[in-house]
Amino acid sequence: MTSVTPRPVTAYSDEHADVYDLIHTARSRDWAAEAEAIAVLVADRHPDADSLLDVACGTGKHLESFGSRFRHVEGVELSDGMLRIARNRLSDVTVHHGDMRTFDLGRTYSAVTCLCFSVAYMATADELNRALRRMARHLEPGGVLVLEPWWFPEKFLEGFVAGAVAEEEGRVVSRLSHSVRDGDRTRMTVRYTVADSGRGISEFTSYEMLSLFTAAEYEAAFRGAGLTVEYLEGGPNGRGLFVGVSPRGAS
């Protein structure tokens, strides 16, 4: 039997984007519940909050729910594939193409979110600091930044494996992952197999590098961006949340 070697693609490929929602729904993700919990965190710290920017918004699933809690919402996304899906999903929401280290939208928001550990794709503490400063610059006085980290170094499980299978009419997708430590980063290999009634069976592999920043590095990045910071245990995916607030006197 001839084996098929899955071809490598980036973590943000069109192929990845096209199966993202399906496979993560099968993994029991509840974007609406996550968005609601985060909206409550924001309201507790900024009762008048009426606008939100979701940085690294992916396919727009959180934005879809944030739109029912905030008068105005927007997103920023680097991946062309994710951006395409988000814009199709949210025809009345502006989703900008941008990099969290450099984006500049020329306005501020009551809240900025960066979820699904997207900030861990920053390769160094310097990049983390740059991203936090960019997000903080988009907060109005008293605005709230909610950020979901990747695992802290002491909580990372070497050799962690996971798997899931998702099915919808005419398509079945499997996801297998294996994570190892590579210095101060996580090297995650994620293999997908897609069985499509019209296209047959295809495979692709995503190679992801995620920085194992310490809690102190996250906190330093918040303070360096001029924000207060607190860490809340638990969070939507067990890794907790960092919450920062911009000074009321900020301009």
Side-chain angles (χ1 to χ4, degrees):
M1 180 180 295
T2 302
S3 63
V4 177
T5 302
R7 54 194 176 86
V9 297
T10 67
Y12 295 101
S13 69
D14 286 354
E15 292 162 302
H16 185 194
D18 286 339
V19 300
Y20 184 88
D21 290 346
L22 177 62
I23 199 69
H24 285 285
T25 297
R27 301 180 76 200
S28 300
R29 288 292 303 276
D30 188 337
W31 286 273
E34 292 176 14
E36 175 64 21
I38 289 164
V40 169
L41 288 179
V42 172
D44 285 347
R45 292 155 180 80
H46 189 5
D48 299 326
D50 66 353
S51 59
L52 178 143
L53 174 68
D54 191 16
V55 177
C57 67
T59 63
K61 291 289 283 183
H62 285 125
L63 273 176
E64 192 171 38
S65 296
F66 282 138
S68 66
R69 289 296 305 259
F70 298 89
R71 178 185 56 81
H72 180 81
V73 297
E74 295 183 23
V76 175
E77 176 54 49
L78 180 61
S79 159
D80 290 335
M82 296 286 195
L83 187 70
R84 167 179 51 80
I85 294 172
R87 286 175 171 171
N88 287 339
R89 168 172 284 130
L90 305 165
S91 58
D92 58 344
V93 173
T94 299
V95 183
H96 306 268
H97 184 267
D99 185 318
M100 69 174 70
R101 296 164 295 187
T102 58
F103 76 97
D104 184 356
L105 305 184
R107 61 156 293 174
T108 59
Y109 304 81
S110 303
V112 174
T113 56
C114 185
L115 306 173
C116 302
F117 58 83
S118 298
V119 75
Y121 287 102
M122 300 298 96
T124 64
D126 179 64
E127 288 193 356
L128 174 66
N129 294 335
R130 288 170 59 195
L132 265 290
R133 287 195 296 268
R134 278 284 130 190
M135 295 179 208
R137 286 185 61 178
H138 287 78
L139 285 175
E140 66 188 26
V144 182
L145 171 61
V146 182
L147 181 145
E148 183 181 5
W150 180 236
W151 297 111
F152 303 143
E154 67 274 14
K155 292 188 176 181
F156 174 69
L157 298 176
E158 177 70 22
F160 182 78
V161 294
V165 176
E167 185 171 0
E168 62 182 1
E169 184 175 356
R171 188 166 66 156
V172 178
V173 179
S174 69
R175 176 189 186 274
L176 295 173
S177 68
H178 175 242
S179 300
V180 297
R181 184 161 181 165
D182 187 349
D184 58 0
R185 306 184 77 187
T186 296
R187 177 162 45 86
M188 183 190 304
T189 302
V190 189
R191 182 164 299 176
Y192 295 89
T193 301
V194 181
D196 186 281
S197 61
R199 301 179 181 177
I201 296 177
S202 61
E203 295 179 305
F204 64 94
T205 301
S206 167
Y207 301 98
E208 307 185 31
M209 294 294 290
L210 300 159
S211 291
L212 291 162
F213 295 122
T214 66
E217 286 176 312
Y218 283 110
E219 290 168 356
F222 269 80
R223 295 191 182 104
L227 307 177
T228 64
V229 60
E230 60 181 314
Y231 175 70
L232 306 178
E233 297 279 355
N237 298 293
R239 290 177 288 270
L241 291 169
F242 284 97
V243 183
V245 179
S246 177
R248 287 282 177 183
S251 59

